[in-house]
Amino acid sequence: MIAMAPAAQQRRIIIRRSPRAWARENLFGSAGNTLLTVVSLAVVAFMAYGVLRFVFVTADWSVVEANRRLFFLGRFPADETWRVWIILYVVSAIGGVSVGAYARIPWQAAIGLALLMVPVLLFIQGGQVALLTLVALALFAAGYGVARLPAAAAYVAQQRGWLPVVWVAAVLFALWLLSAVPTLVWGGLMLSMTLTVVGIAAAFPLGLLLAIGRASTLPVVRWLSITYIEVIRGVPLITILFMATYLLPLVLRPERDLALGIIDLPITGYNPNLVVRAFIAITLFSAAYLAETIRGGLQAVPRGQMEAAQALGLGTTRTLAFIVLPQALRAVVPAIVGQFISLFKDTSLVAIVGLTDLLGVARQVTAQQEFIGRQAETLLFVAAIYWMVAFSMSRASQRLEKTLGIGER
């Protein structure tokens, strides 16, 4: 008979070591380990010295200071900027509630975010813009605080399933508010974020349907889904962007089809602009990859659960909605967020088809007569923005995984 171990003995034993003892064991444990540590530290120190010397001594950041508005908004009219601020306030408030509904921000992270905002506010320099930015931060903090209040935390936790619907409504509201301004003057970070958010909102349901279609037992649905996924995944995004830019207007041209001149059938009169064509291309491309990611989650659900649901009398739709998809999506949250981060970085390709996203603005700025030869400063600034957005998405994903208990037994 095997005796059960006491609960105290089953607890995880935590060994606390001093930093010096940890370094001696892990970095200088042997001659080879010591040599590898010294060489690595020398390389890192050399690279850090070069980067810091360029950032604080050599670089001329006047190219960024003179084009701040261009980097963030492109050629968006100054008298219409209030639309962007309203969207930012709505997103900040909903973002605060969403973070508070799923996780608690540690005080160390809160201090780090506060310290990170100091150089951002110093970079802004404008009193009115800095004040409007502080209002957005205050709305985020207020939303988070409301969600974490003891009196509201239980209610928010029960209703957080509606947050995706709220976010979709916020995206539609933002597009409606921005639609009054011609899309050709959208640019900079605003265009990159808009392409990313709309691409995610449109590609996710399409990818979900394609994943279900590929797993379907109906041959026509399954083979149509497989054909779409394999064709799109076999073509580079830049090719799909060019096809959407040049072929879509021909397909949707307002002229009557000459080949069908006998019946004189008009195809359509809709001629999408460049931004809408980019939306369509990014959505079609991302949906194919998301479908494969979600299909991996569907395969992770034990088949016995579906058989049990069918034995209980649940139909196919309710089995998918309440049994299969919650488990499948939960299992692939890290891969889906990775796909979203990749989508955000892929939006830089739209500069090739004539849109002035963040990278397109960088190219325009370095073509200005007074800033020729300032590519290093411009690209380093753009890279920092891309990194901050991607890192924020990654950290949010990690917090969500921890809240959902993904990867834990």
Side-chain angles (χ1 to χ4, degrees), residues 332-343 345 397:
V332 295
V333 165
I336 290 177
V337 175
Q339 182 66 34
F340 290 164
I341 293 175
S342 177
L343 172 62
K345 292 184 291 186
S397 170

Side-chain angles (χ1 to χ4, degrees), residues 18 151 203 207 262:
S18 65
I262 297 176

Side-chain angles (χ1 to χ4, degrees), residues 145-339:
V146 169
R148 300 303 300 181
L149 280 176
Y155 178 77
V156 173
Q158 291 175 354
Q159 303 298 326
R160 66 184 184 185
W162 289 98
L163 283 175
V165 179
V166 175
W167 277 109
V168 171
V171 171
L172 295 176
F173 170 74
L175 291 177
W176 171 77
L177 202 58
L178 292 176
S179 63
V181 181
T183 54
L184 292 180
V185 299
W186 297 9
L189 180 62
M190 185 194 73
L191 178 60
S192 298
M193 294 302 297
T194 305
L195 289 171
T196 303
V197 173
V198 175
I200 291 173
F204 183 77
L206 181 57
L208 184 62
L209 291 176
L210 287 170
I212 296 174
R214 184 160 189 169
S216 173
T217 56
L218 300 175
V220 175
V221 176
R222 184 173 70 253
W223 283 107
L224 282 177
S225 301
I226 292 175
T227 302
Y228 176 87
I229 293 170
E230 297 302 332
V231 168
I232 296 297
R233 291 180 68 207
V235 181
L237 175 58
I238 185 62
T239 305
I240 298 178
L241 280 170
F242 277 123
M243 291 174 67
T245 302
Y246 298 109
L247 291 184
L248 199 60
L250 297 178
V251 174
L252 301 178
R253 61 186 178 182
E255 294 84 5
R256 298 176 185 276
D257 196 325
L258 296 178
L260 301 176
I262 297 176
I263 58 177
D264 201 20
L265 178 66
I267 297 178
T268 180
Y270 179 60
N271 186 20
N273 57 49
L274 274 178
V275 175
V276 176
R277 296 174 203 172
F279 281 150
I280 295 173
I282 290 174
T283 300
L284 296 178
F285 183 81
S286 301
Y289 282 88
L290 278 172
E292 285 301 274
T293 301
I294 297 172
R295 187 172 69 90
L298 293 175
Q299 292 177 339
V301 179
R303 187 167 183 77
Q305 296 195 19
M306 289 180 278
E307 294 173 351
Q310 292 171 357
L312 291 174
L314 295 179
T316 304
T317 304
R318 288 198 292 176
T319 301
L320 276 174
F322 300 115
I323 305 296
V324 178
L325 285 181
Q327 299 181 72
L329 295 178
R330 179 177 176 274
V332 295
V333 165
I336 290 177
V337 175
Q339 182 66 34

Side-chain angles (χ1 to χ4, degrees), residues 17 52 60 93 105-106 110 117 146 225 234 297 309-310 342 353 369 376 379 401:
R17 289 172 294 183
L52 292 176
D60 180 6
I105 300 178
M117 290 309 301
V146 169
S225 301
Q310 292 171 357
S342 177
V353 295
Q369 183 68 29
L379 292 177
E401 293 168 24

